[in-house]
Amino acid sequence: MIETTKIPFTVIGGGIGGLAAALGAAESGRQVYVLEQAPEFGEIGAGIQLGPNAMAVLDRFGLLGEIDKYAVYPKRLVLKDALTGEELTDLDLGDSIKEQYGYTYTVMHRSDLHKVLLEACEKNPSITLLTNQQVSKVENHDDFVTIECTSGEVYEAESLVGADGIWSKTRELFSQDEGVTEGYVAYRGAIPMHEISEHADFDDVIMWIAPNLHLVQYPVRRKELYNQVAVFKSFNYKKGKSDWGTPEELDEHFGKCCPKVQKAVTFMSRERRWEMYDKEPINNWTENRLTLLGDSAHPMYQYLAQGACQALEDASYLTDKLNEYGDEDINKAFNAYQEERMPRTAQVQKRARVWGDIIHADDPVARLMRDSYFKTRQSTSFEDVEWMYGYFKKSSLSYS
Ligand SMILES: Cc1cc2nc3c(=O)[nH]c(=O)nc-3n(C[C@H](O)[C@H](O)[C@H](O)COP(=O)(O)OP(=O)(O)OC[C@H]3O[C@@H](n4cnc5c(N)ncnc54)[C@H](O)[C@@H]3O)c2cc1C
């Protein structure tokens, strides 16, 4: 007979979403276990953008002081034409965004953000962090959740949050949906600033756009590193095949860009590429004592830089509902969380796709109309981003 270990409130996945959820559940007075498949908790070596909506959550968890040790606060978000080099529009990320939303726009190295969250979890006596726990099966019962790991370990959790990313095992309880791709692929990484400083912009987040491609650049880790993400549509994409989005295609796509962009791409590491997938929104991710959070609930394209921000919003809202319902009815707390978060995250998933279509537009008329609109915008006009960054203004959540 297989021995089962009883554990309390459990989170599967120790990414940004999972660790934030663990902090929130601990805040609500629970003992929490985090099960992570990797031998060590960590993140990949690239940057992350955090809108004011994410900074509000990090503030709520008391982490802004730690974040400040690594963060860069850019002055502007600039959109440029990658073919001509022309600046198309910008958004003021200085004082005006803080006045508007109460928090600054922040860019940082992913491993720095993850470290801040991990250290907060490690310091919290209510949180137990376990590595080498690759979950292979999750079974939902009325009063508990069974979790099987590939190591043979079996847990009986009092309740469960599946924060195990886009290829989530937990999501399989709700949907067998496959990832959706348009054949886009990303190359990314952070380069030591002294190697690239001649070609870097120290103050701004820059997004270069052109048909079927874009390049994002910004400094991270107190401006010691320069993050670059080069994304393009592979015309060799075929379902089930892996030989698409190659470094040769990267060079071919970016070879048609202006010299500054061409030069930037020479610094990209070609060792690893990320295939871009999202999924359709689903209409339920909660049952009994189990719910989903972050990419496992609502995987989205990264074009609006909101995936991790949404995972943080999830964690904040879940915390409020766990506080509100206490131990009496976890299912009510999970359902109330889902009711708020499902429409919000579905909207971001859908708009990320639309923004991808806008920045990658190939049609000359569509590009002309887009660029004329961009050129009429004021840099301190927040109308286009209000729905995204202004979430907490409308919600019942309040922050100190
Ligand atoms: C190129 C690119 C750029 C991006 N830029 C931004 C940005 O600027 N801003 C932003 O907000 N978002 C951005 N995103 C999106 C963001 O990275 C994700 O939305 C975010 O990391 C999701 O966090 P998560 O914790 O839900 O999932 P993940 O980060 O995927 O974490 C899941 C965790 O679960 C673990 N796990 C998985 N399966 C199992 C299992 N079976 N058992 C146990 N553990 C398991 C994994 O090892 C991992 O630690 C970007 C994404 C990409 C691809």
Side-chain angles (χ1 to χ4, degrees):
M1 185 163 150
I2 301 166
E3 215 171 285
T4 304
T5 311
K6 286 199 179 205
I7 52 177
F9 189 102
T10 299
V11 179
I12 302 180
I16 292 163
L19 294 182
L23 286 175
E27 182 196 300
S28 76
R30 290 169 168 80
Q31 293 295 313
V32 187
Y33 269 56
V34 180
L35 307 180
E36 166 57 44
Q37 64 182 359
E40 280 178 23
F41 286 91
E43 256 287 353
I44 60 143
I48 194 151
Q49 303 178 55
L50 298 168
N53 56 323
M55 295 305 283
V57 178
L58 293 167
D59 187 18
R60 177 228 172 101
F61 290 131
L63 300 175
L64 287 195
E66 284 304 302
I67 294 287
D68 189 53
K69 291 183 185 166
Y70 309 99
V72 175
Y73 306 108
K75 289 189 179 149
R76 296 188 308 153
L77 172 61
V78 189
L79 272 183
K80 292 188 181 188
D81 185 318
L83 302 180
T84 63
E86 184 190 8
E87 184 169 318
L88 299 171
T89 189
D90 71 337
L91 185 70
D92 190 339
L93 302 179
D95 292 343
S96 48
I97 201 164
K98 193 167 180 191
E99 275 160 29
Q100 196 77 13
Y101 302 112
Y103 292 92
T104 50
Y105 198 94
T106 303
V107 288
M108 56 194 303
H109 198 277
R110 279 171 177 263
S111 59
D112 294 337
L113 170 62
H114 191 268
K115 185 176 162 188
V116 169
L117 289 162
L118 183 63
E119 284 177 358
C121 288
E122 284 168 343
K123 276 189 214 141
N124 193 315
S126 302
I127 300 177
T128 304
L129 298 162
L130 299 180
T131 51
N132 290 312
Q133 305 290 319
Q134 185 176 41
V135 173
S136 52
K137 194 172 171 194
V138 177
E139 249 178 44
N140 207 348
H141 307 275
D142 284 349
D143 298 329
F144 61 93
V145 183
T146 311
I147 302 165
E148 288 178 27
C149 293
T150 49
S151 58
E153 204 98 41
V154 181
Y155 296 101
E156 194 180 296
E158 175 262 322
S159 45
L160 179 71
V161 174
D164 43 347
I166 181 169
W167 308 118
S168 165
K169 275 276 152 210
T170 328
R171 184 182 172 100
E172 289 174 10
L173 293 174
F174 301 98
S175 173
Q176 303 293 319
D177 57 350
E178 291 184 357
V180 177
T181 184
E182 292 174 330
Y184 278 87
V185 73
Y187 285 77
R188 58 178 165 165
I191 303 140
M193 193 57 102
H194 63 88
E195 286 177 21
I196 196 174
S197 58
E198 248 182 82
H199 310 282
D201 185 312
F202 285 76
D203 293 326
D204 298 331
V205 175
I206 304 179
M207 187 178 218
W208 301 87
I209 60 172
N212 305 308
L213 64 82
H214 74 264
L215 170 75
V216 176
Q217 301 175 297
Y218 52 84
V220 293
R221 193 170 294 160
R222 301 173 293 261
K223 303 191 181 178
E224 291 163 18
L225 298 169
Y226 200 54
N227 183 66
Q228 298 200 126
V229 190
V231 176
F232 65 90
K233 184 181 176 84
S234 170
F235 299 118
N236 296 328
Y237 167 72
K238 250 201 193 135
K239 196 173 175 191
K241 298 269 180 209
S242 59
D243 58 345
W244 56 279
T246 60
E248 292 72 32
E249 289 177 63
L250 170 77
D251 289 331
E252 203 182 312
H253 269 79
F254 285 89
K256 62 186 181 216
C257 294
C258 65
K260 205 163 165 55
V261 172
Q262 281 192 33
K263 183 71 198 173
V265 171
T266 63
F267 289 92
M268 303 297 311
S269 162
R270 277 115 219 276
E271 271 169 31
R272 187 174 164 195
R273 71 195 226 298
W274 280 266
E275 297 169 359
M276 302 286 98
Y277 286 92
D278 75 350
K279 290 186 177 178
E280 297 293 336
I282 50 175
N283 60 16
N284 182 38
W285 69 51
T286 298
E287 203 184 307
N288 297 347
R289 306 178 75 84
L290 183 152
T291 195
L292 304 181
L293 179 144
D295 273 9
S296 71
H298 41 71
M300 58 185 69
Y301 287 135
Q302 84 280 14
Y303 307 140
L304 290 171
Q306 276 291 313
C309 298
Q310 290 306 307
L312 289 168
E313 282 187 6
D314 285 349
S316 177
Y317 207 84
L318 179 63
T319 307
D320 281 12
K321 294 298 137 189
L322 291 173
N323 281 331
E324 194 177 322
Y325 287 94
D327 272 337
E328 94 208 40
D329 196 340
I330 194 85
N331 179 255
K332 272 196 188 143
F334 283 173
N335 271 317
Y337 149 78
Q338 161 169 314
E339 200 179 314
E340 166 66 22
R341 297 300 302 155
M342 194 167 272
R344 161 73 170 165
T345 53
Q347 182 190 39
V348 187
Q349 279 175 293
K350 287 179 194 156
R351 289 197 182 186
R353 280 189 186 175
V354 173
W355 181 239
D357 291 343
I358 293 170
I359 56 173
H360 298 140
D362 204 355
D363 178 60
V365 179
R367 287 166 56 205
L368 192 69
M369 286 168 67
R370 175 196 69 193
D371 295 352
S372 344
Y373 170 68
F374 281 160
K375 286 172 193 169
T376 61
R377 283 193 62 261
Q378 299 293 314
S379 49
T380 50
S381 157
F382 292 98
E383 273 167 26
D384 297 327
V385 294
E386 175 69 26
W387 68 275
M388 191 160 53
Y389 301 143
Y391 177 62
F392 290 115
K393 282 205 230 161
K394 287 194 295 262
S395 106
S396 55
L397 301 178
S398 59
Y399 293 91
S400 56

